[in-house]
Amino acid sequence: MTVNTTSEVAQGFTSAAADADRSYDPRLAELARRAAAAGTVLLTNDGVLPLSPAEPVAVFGRVQIDWFAVGYGSGGDVNAVYTTNLLGSLVEQGVAVDAELASTYRQWCNTQEPPTEEWGNWPRFYPEMEVDEELVSAAASRARTAVVVIGRAAGEDRENVLEPGGYYLTDTEHTLLERVTAHFESTVVIVNSGNVMDLSWAEELGVSALLLAWPGGMEGGRAVADVLTGIAEPGGRLTDTIARAYADYPSAGNFGGQEFNNYAEDVFVGYRYFETFAPEKVLFPFGHGLGYTSFDLSQAHLDAASADTDVTVWVRVANTGPRPGATVVQVYRGAPAVGTLPRPSRELVAFTRTRVIAPGEAQEVTVSFPRERLAAFDDDGRSGHAHAWVIEAGTYPVHVGTSVRQTIEAGAVVVEETEVVEQLQEALAPNPAVPFDRMTVARDADGRARVGWEAVPTATVDLRERILAHLPEPIEPTGDVGIRFSDVVAGRASLEAFVAQLDVEDLAQLTYGDVEMNSPLGAPGNAGAFGGLTEHLRALGIPPVITTDGPSGIRVSAYASLLPCGTALASTWDEALLEELATLHGQEMLRKGSDVLLAPGMNIHRDPLCGRNFEYYSEDPLLTGMAAAAVVRGIQSQGVSACPKHFACNNQETNRIYNDSRVSVRALREIYLRGFRICVQEAGPFNIMTSYNQVNGQWAHYNYDLVTTILRGEWGYRGNVITDWWMRYAPDPIFPRLQDSATRVRAGVDVLMPGGVTWSSKRADGHDDAVLAGYSPDDTSGEHLTLGELQQTALHVLRMAATTPAARAAAEA
Ligand code: BGC
């Protein structure tokens, strides 16, 4: 018997579109185009953009044709109804593209198919056409402006790397840029990449404009053409800091480990580090992005009347430039004057987009945020309140602006006495057997912050005791009393009464998905099913629930819309736009037979090399949480559901299925779990997917504190939790009679997806039997799984299944 690895499965699964139906919703396409333009980030512009109408433009780089519409892996593997590229889109819009150069590239690209590779070995770049001086100078005699496109892609099981063609330019690309910038009056460089790459060359070469075009899905080429011509504004603002050099990132020394990574930078992720300790190492600050007009922010003030009300910030945003435009107003907490908890000197606490403001006009912008966004998490009691969110007494300056750097002060919130916002308990702390040091703020003699180090607080909790003290009470079994699932969905019977009818086999079955991807119970090419998988469960009225990937489109055998990647969406900082797009996407899910989209991907951009950064949103948890919540709200408004993933700390692809993310409780609370919490509490997703990796020594899918203590206990999550595709099998470290899926169910992870075969199975077909093997009807001590635990899992799964279109239709019939 073999246990599938994700790579094997995913390779086998990748399928060409099976039917010829390329129909799509034009409203979705139109919105995708708008969102891709709104997520395009203009980093520098000396005035060359937007291009003047009728001005001839010479376009260099093969990626103008071989455009990267999406990254690699489950998150990008959509049979797109169509894709667009830059050259075609510029021509479509009537831009005076230099025809001779375009034809040279077309001919060359025709003979140089982009390399295609197996799962996990995809090309990070496409070898570039050699361009000699002669060709460049000839083109420069026909056009004053050049556009050069550089492309990169990474993905699932495919980290970006510190190599030419990865994080760095290849020699051919560098030569191309050198020659073009030397010969042309103006050079616009477009970086079409899902990852931040080295951009130090842009300064060196003196480019006229630098544009980040994240993989924008099927409309990405058109969206960038819209931006170049000025039909659309480049609406994006950076969701990550771009450093001068990779080594400057605070994660750099602790990323890519095979066995583990110490998250030694602690809460000082991205701009939290740079703004506190190393502002000079920043090439482009978090939140930065230019439009085609300029804004002046003035008259900022705030109201923080009492501890019980939100903090409200006002600012006047005047359009001082030549064109109508909108901007993103960002509000940051500054460094508090006193306190025992080391604080980053800036933290995003709120943001909003302005309306489109006409030249010479202004908008009074009001933005409010809950006071608890001033709080920090105390994981060792130094503030006097261990395991609590606290706002320490002090003065909290509030800055408002258009990036983390471009701000004015709106005033300060003065906190007279330390406030405990939320008293929690220790959970998920690092293993004392493998301690590490974490970053903290030390001070120079002149009071300037510099990096200090301290020992990370480690776990002291007896998890065994905690689990045994919280075993759920069983519901008295009744046997079949005739309640059907449709009675529950229609409100004629309670879910508890329905579950009371299920025997142990039914209950155990509900904790497994349908063994393989591409379940015959759903649309061809689905990612797997759970719920009503047996005849008996279906006879009771429980439908099979069909899952599909996500996030960039619906991954089924049929054609589907390919949408802008996660980073592109978050770069819009526009929750309303994301919700609208996701609403139309939810409608497409209904048409394609997807009940659950395995999306949004919402891990933190801890390091620029993470292969799946394109699927994820940001280095900032507030922006991540708000973007994810908007997407979940949109999808779920259509009667289908979302499945935010990967909970938690799946911040690299290298050895992701074994790797241990070792991270302090404070960093978990403030950074890595916070986005998920916001999403859960703002949008109520019906599903959550755990990650493959371990968090402080325990796999996420076996992690009781992660899923039961925190997600369900503290955040009040009532939905379904599923594993990432094929979890790791392992003995239970605490309860010797449990292993594999029994440990999973005890942790509160409801469904093994898509189902499983295990080395430990005693069944002839090798199917995972650990739940039944771990259950004993006579043992209520907790050494075995209890009836209450199985029933509780069923409640979670069925509460979710009750929301599906099939369940609702049956209830209405
Ligand atoms: C990925 C998930 C994905 C799942 C199903 C896994 O390898 O990590 O993000 O949803 O496969 O395709």
Side-chain angles (χ1 to χ4, degrees):
M1 178 205 339
T2 55
V3 176
N4 289 319
T5 69
T6 46
S7 310
E8 284 162 359
V9 169
Q11 273 180 39
F13 170 67
T14 305
S15 59
D19 63 35
D21 179 10
R22 285 184 186 255
S23 61
Y24 61 94
D25 178 354
R27 293 170 310 157
L28 181 58
E30 176 52 34
L31 217 50
R33 180 173 178 170
R34 244 175 68 202
T40 300
V41 186
L42 180 60
L43 293 172
T44 63
N45 183 17
D46 67 2
V48 61
L49 292 181
L51 300 169
S52 321
E55 165 91 23
V57 183
V59 189
F60 292 88
R62 70 175 297 170
V63 179
Q64 63 178 299
I65 294 164
D66 299 323
W67 187 254
F68 290 100
V70 71
Y72 300 122
S74 59
D77 200 4
V78 175
N79 289 311
V81 284
Y82 60 86
T83 52
T84 54
N85 65 21
L86 184 66
L87 179 61
S89 305
L90 288 171
V91 171
E92 188 178 87
Q93 291 190 20
V95 174
V97 170
D98 183 68
E100 205 173 317
L101 186 62
S103 134
T104 308
Y105 270 104
R106 276 203 195 94
Q107 278 168 28
W108 188 82
C109 286
N110 278 342
T111 62
Q112 306 283 327
E113 282 282 301
T116 48
E117 295 287 350
E118 296 287 284
W119 179 276
N121 292 306
W122 302 284
R124 298 189 178 95
F125 76 106
Y126 301 148
E128 190 51 81
M129 182 174 96
E130 303 274 348
V131 170
D132 57 25
E133 293 272 358
E134 211 181 313
L135 185 141
V136 178
S137 79
S141 69
R142 301 186 297 263
R144 282 184 310 179
T145 304
V147 170
V148 183
V149 191
I150 304 290
R152 290 289 183 276
E156 185 173 356
D157 277 330
R158 189 64 168 163
E159 217 85 278
N160 200 7
V161 285
L162 293 172
E163 289 171 12
Y167 191 71
Y168 299 110
L169 290 178
T170 63
D171 287 346
T172 318
E173 288 167 342
H174 200 272
T175 308
L176 170 67
L177 285 165
E178 263 174 356
R179 294 198 170 139
V180 173
T181 48
H183 283 275
F184 280 81
E185 230 175 273
S186 297
T187 304
V188 176
V189 181
I190 299 174
V191 175
N192 167 218
S193 170
N195 286 69
V196 165
M197 67 179 286
D198 175 53
L199 296 177
S200 54
W201 42 265
E203 251 178 1
E204 225 168 271
L205 295 171
V207 305
S208 312
L210 180 60
L211 195 67
L212 282 186
W214 311 111
M218 63 192 192
E219 286 286 338
R222 286 200 180 115
V224 175
D226 290 345
V227 165
L228 293 180
T229 55
I231 291 177
E233 269 213 304
R237 302 294 183 265
L238 285 178
T239 67
D240 294 333
T241 310
I242 301 185
R244 293 190 179 277
Y246 173 76
D248 295 337
Y249 284 99
S251 56
N254 290 291
F255 176 80
Q258 288 289 327
E259 210 187 308
F260 68 90
N261 290 299
N262 290 335
Y263 285 33
E265 72 283 5
D266 210 51
V267 297
F268 297 95
V269 175
Y271 72 85
R272 286 168 164 76
Y273 165 81
F274 288 106
E275 298 307 311
T276 309
F277 301 115
E280 70 288 352
K281 291 183 174 163
V282 173
L283 192 58
F284 298 108
F286 179 81
H288 169 73
L290 306 169
Y292 288 146
T293 188
S294 53
F295 292 98
D296 179 51
L297 272 58
S298 63
Q299 299 171 24
H301 57 287
L302 63 78
D303 181 9
S306 80
D308 305 324
T309 54
D310 287 355
V311 179
T312 303
V313 177
W314 287 269
V315 68
R316 182 172 189 275
V317 182
N319 184 344
T320 53
R323 292 167 53 108
T327 191
V328 178
V329 172
Q330 306 163 30
V331 183
Y332 295 90
R333 170 195 64 67
V338 290
T340 61
L341 291 160
R343 305 296 300 267
S345 68
R346 290 286 182 281
E347 262 173 14
L348 183 71
V349 287
F351 59 90
T352 187
R353 278 195 85 88
T354 65
R355 60 171 163 75
V356 175
I357 305 171
E361 291 190 359
Q363 182 186 349
E364 307 292 329
V365 173
T366 311
V367 47
S368 296
F369 62 91
R371 193 177 166 94
E372 58 252 30
R373 291 200 188 145
L374 300 174
F377 193 83
D378 182 353
D379 62 3
D380 64 3
R382 67 184 75 188
S383 72
H385 305 280
H387 315 302
W389 284 97
V390 289
I391 309 177
E392 290 194 273
T395 300
Y396 294 78
V398 174
H399 309 268
V400 56
T402 50
S403 79
V404 72
R405 289 280 169 86
Q406 288 291 320
T407 56
I408 55 175
E409 207 165 313
V413 182
V414 179
V415 177
E416 303 287 353
E417 263 177 54
T418 295
E419 296 166 18
V420 176
V421 172
E422 194 180 20
Q423 180 62 58
L424 300 168
Q425 57 188 324
E426 180 193 312
L428 211 53
N431 180 352
V434 286
F436 61 94
D437 283 351
R438 66 171 171 185
M439 194 178 283
T440 184
V441 180
R443 297 271 164 203
D444 284 343
D446 60 4
R448 202 174 165 266
R450 61 171 178 77
V451 170
W453 297 95
E454 63 179 27
V456 76
T458 54
T460 63
V461 165
D462 182 338
L463 198 55
R464 180 185 166 84
E465 238 173 65
R466 177 174 285 175
I467 293 172
L468 291 177
H470 292 91
L471 288 176
E473 286 299 319
I475 305 169
E476 190 56 39
T478 57
D480 192 338
V481 295
I483 303 172
R484 293 297 162 262
F485 195 52
S486 54
D487 297 326
V488 177
V489 181
R492 293 187 292 265
S494 73
L495 187 56
E496 286 70 16
F498 179 79
V499 165
Q501 305 178 115
L502 301 180
D503 64 20
V504 169
E505 273 74 28
D506 291 334
L507 294 170
Q509 174 57 50
L510 283 172
T511 78
Y512 295 102
D514 192 12
V515 184
E516 296 298 335
M517 295 178 87
N518 197 9
S519 166
L521 297 168
N526 66 74
F530 64 88
L533 300 184
T534 61
E535 298 278 340
H536 179 236
L537 291 175
R538 283 201 295 277
L540 291 171
I542 303 169
V545 181
I546 308 302
T547 70
T548 63
D549 278 302
S552 296
I554 303 166
R555 183 197 192 201
V556 282
S557 301
Y559 288 106
S561 300
L562 183 63
L563 302 183
C565 72
T567 308
L569 295 180
S571 299
T572 66
W573 298 59
D574 189 337
E575 296 158 80
L577 178 60
L578 267 47
E579 188 170 337
E580 212 187 324
L581 184 74
T583 301
L584 294 180
H585 203 210
Q587 292 173 10
E588 187 170 283
M589 286 172 66
L590 287 167
R591 292 195 295 277
K592 302 282 172 193
S594 167
D595 296 324
V596 179
L597 191 73
L598 303 172
M602 49 181 305
N603 295 99
I604 291 291
H605 289 172
R606 174 175 177 252
D607 189 282
L609 298 183
C610 174
R612 295 184 84 170
N613 274 358
F614 77 99
E615 292 184 61
Y616 307 148
Y617 295 128
S618 170
E619 68 187 20
D620 180 81
L622 177 71
L623 183 54
T624 295
M626 299 305 256
V631 168
V632 171
R633 274 195 306 270
I635 289 174
Q636 296 197 166
S637 70
Q638 298 308 302
V640 284
S641 69
C643 182
K645 65 189 185 185
H646 309 87
F647 190 56
C649 297
N650 189 167
N651 303 104
Q652 73 173 30
E653 288 300 290
T654 307
N655 210 19
R656 63 182 169 144
I657 55 179
Y658 293 107
N659 205 272
D660 186 13
S661 297
R662 297 181 182 164
V663 50
S664 81
V665 168
R666 179 171 177 199
L668 283 167
R669 300 283 193 175
E670 292 191 19
I671 309 284
Y672 297 100
L673 303 186
R674 187 162 163 235
F676 285 99
R677 179 179 186 169
I678 292 169
C679 178
V680 163
Q681 296 186 333
E682 298 267 326
F686 297 148
N687 308 275
I688 296 228
M689 185 194 296
T690 52
S691 54
Y692 285 125
N693 55 280
Q694 305 177 51
V695 182
N696 288 328
Q698 180 58 291
W699 273 286
H701 46 260
Y702 293 149
N703 205 314
Y704 182 89
D705 264 352
L706 179 70
V707 177
T708 296
T709 308
I710 295 178
L711 172 67
R712 297 193 194 280
E714 294 178 8
W715 304 350
Y717 180 71
R718 299 183 76 227
N720 177 38
V721 179
I722 66 178
T723 65
D724 197 347
W725 266 226
W726 292 283
M727 60 178 198
R728 293 312 99 200
Y729 294 100
D732 191 301
I734 300 176
F735 298 98
R737 295 200 170 76
L738 308 185
Q739 62 185 15
D740 309 338
S741 275
T743 305
R744 167 178 64 78
V745 166
R746 172 146 292 179
V749 177
D750 304 305
V751 187
L752 169 62
M753 284 305 291
V757 283
T758 80
W759 49 266
S760 60
S761 171
K762 305 207 173 33
R763 288 169 44 149
D765 60 7
H767 282 195
D768 182 334
D769 60 355
V771 170
L772 281 178
Y775 170 73
S776 165
D778 309 320
D779 181 1
T780 49
S781 69
E783 291 304 320
H784 289 89
L785 278 184
T786 65
L787 182 63
E789 287 173 293
L790 295 182
Q791 289 170 327
Q792 180 171 262
T793 303
L795 289 173
H796 298 149
V797 176
L798 295 177
R799 197 175 289 130
M800 187 280 136
T803 68
T804 57
R808 282 181 286 113
E812 279 158 23

